[in-house]
Amino acid sequence: HFIEVAQSMGLRMESERLRHSLLQALSHDLRTPLTALRGWTDTLAMSQPPLTDAQQQLVGQVQASAERMNRLVHNLLDMARLQSGEVRLRLDWQSAAELWGSALNELGEALAGRPLEVDAPHSLPLFEADALLLQRVLVNWLENALKYTPEGSPLLARARMVEEDGRPWMQLSLRDHGPGLPAHLGERVFDKFTRGQPESSVPGVGLGLAIAKAIVEAHGGRIRAHNEAGGGACLSLCLPWHPPPDCPPESLLENPLESPPPVQTAGPPDARPPQAP
């Protein structure tokens, strides 16, 4: 029995190493042709004489496909870096409202036609996080909601302070009104390469939520996913919160700033600078 268990664990570890190597190889090898493709389509769109309407539409479709591929490659790179431990958090004090705003701006026109409510009051306190990584989490959530919910269905982005285990946490969540998460997956929805319908026509490889979980756990936080009673899914994360350091007034500093010396202007050679009072 123990021999079988050891062999099974060894096989899983070897499989994980192989998967990690494949992630790195794919992500790096795809970047060069993808960059060239995006450059060619941009040049073609601005060519002279101008393209016809049908040609412009075709170029736009190629650009949209290249952008989707670019986000996929970024997800592959993010997952490879997170697994290898190369990512170092750059923590700073963030505003929940501004983070949601940055994520929404990144998707831009993709959110057009979607009723979207943002409930993130500016009165919420600042919290410490890596803005770029946390924005990647929110963008992945929004992309999933756009792919798996009906067109025109509303979305609700929220931020609020909650208390768990006697500690304050900053909670960010996204609620949709789609079919919800597959009940048979449970917490496995955050596993790498896991999708609700493996043969789905919706593009994707099942890395978005896995990356989100790795980023949140690197912050010492928690991530959850559940179906709402009224329909739809809700993704949420909680990051530990502590008050930002206070900045004491200058009068309380041990070495207050000194007044700058008087400015000396040019004058005749025998001119003397004004005496300090």
Side-chain angles (χ1 to χ4, degrees):
H1 169 71
F2 289 114
I3 291 175
E4 291 179 355
V5 170
Q7 290 176 340
S8 177
M9 292 183 62
L11 182 60
R12 285 199 296 269
M13 291 174 62
E14 186 62 30
S15 175
E16 192 63 29
R17 281 196 293 268
L18 178 60
R19 184 178 294 179
H20 174 60
S21 300
L22 182 62
L23 276 176
Q24 286 187 314
L26 275 177
S27 56
H28 286 288
D29 290 345
L30 285 173
R31 293 184 71 184
T32 300
L34 181 59
T35 302
L37 178 62
R38 297 175 70 192
W40 292 335
T41 54
D42 291 343
T43 302
L44 187 59
M46 296 182 295
S47 62
Q48 296 295 332
L51 302 178
T52 64
D53 292 342
Q55 291 171 333
Q56 285 284 7
Q57 184 178 3
L58 182 59
V59 170
Q61 292 174 353
V62 175
Q63 287 176 320
S65 297
E67 190 58 38
R68 285 196 298 270
M69 179 64 74
N70 185 52
R71 288 197 291 267
L72 173 60
V73 170
H74 273 294
N75 280 341
L76 290 169
L77 281 172
D78 288 343
M79 194 73 253
R81 292 192 187 106
L82 288 166
Q83 284 189 322
S84 63
E86 296 176 4
V87 174
R88 296 291 182 268
L89 298 182
R90 297 182 178 181
L91 300 177
D92 202 353
W93 296 100
Q94 311 297 338
S95 162
E98 291 181 2
L99 278 174
W100 269 120
S102 299
L104 297 175
N105 287 335
E106 183 171 334
L107 289 179
E109 295 182 359
L111 291 169
R114 281 293 184 121
L116 177 63
E117 179 183 354
V118 179
D119 181 12
H122 286 278
S123 58
L124 286 173
L126 300 180
F127 64 101
E128 202 169 18
D130 186 312
L132 291 179
L133 290 180
L134 205 57
Q135 182 178 331
R136 172 86 329 216
V137 173
L138 302 182
V139 169
N140 283 348
W141 284 3
L142 290 166
E143 288 179 339
N144 273 2
L146 292 175
K147 288 192 295 185
Y148 295 106
T149 59
E151 293 185 9
S153 59
L155 300 174
L156 171 61
R158 298 187 64 187
R160 59 178 179 170
M161 291 293 297
V162 298
E163 184 175 346
E164 293 184 10
D165 303 329
R167 299 170 54 193
W169 300 73
M170 174 62 70
Q171 183 187 76
L172 305 179
S173 64
L174 180 67
R175 162 79 190 279
D176 64 47
H177 288 78
L181 300 167
H184 67 279
L185 286 181
E187 290 299 315
R188 290 194 298 113
V189 73
F190 294 109
D191 291 348
K192 294 184 294 293
F193 304 106
T194 297
R195 305 188 69 195
Q197 298 178 357
E199 303 300 328
S200 173
S201 60
V202 179
V205 294
L207 276 179
L209 293 184
I211 292 173
K213 180 181 180 181
I215 291 174
V216 172
E217 290 182 346
H219 281 80
R222 306 167 180 174
I223 189 169
R224 300 184 179 97
H226 67 274
N227 289 327
E228 293 285 347
C234 181
L235 299 171
S236 64
L237 65 86
C238 288
L239 298 183
W241 183 85
H242 57 89
D246 294 329
C247 296
E250 182 176 333
S251 59
L252 298 180
L253 295 177
E254 294 182 1
N255 298 310
L257 296 177
E258 298 179 357
S259 301
V263 178
Q264 298 184 10
T265 58
D270 59 348
R272 297 180 180 179
Q275 298 297 320

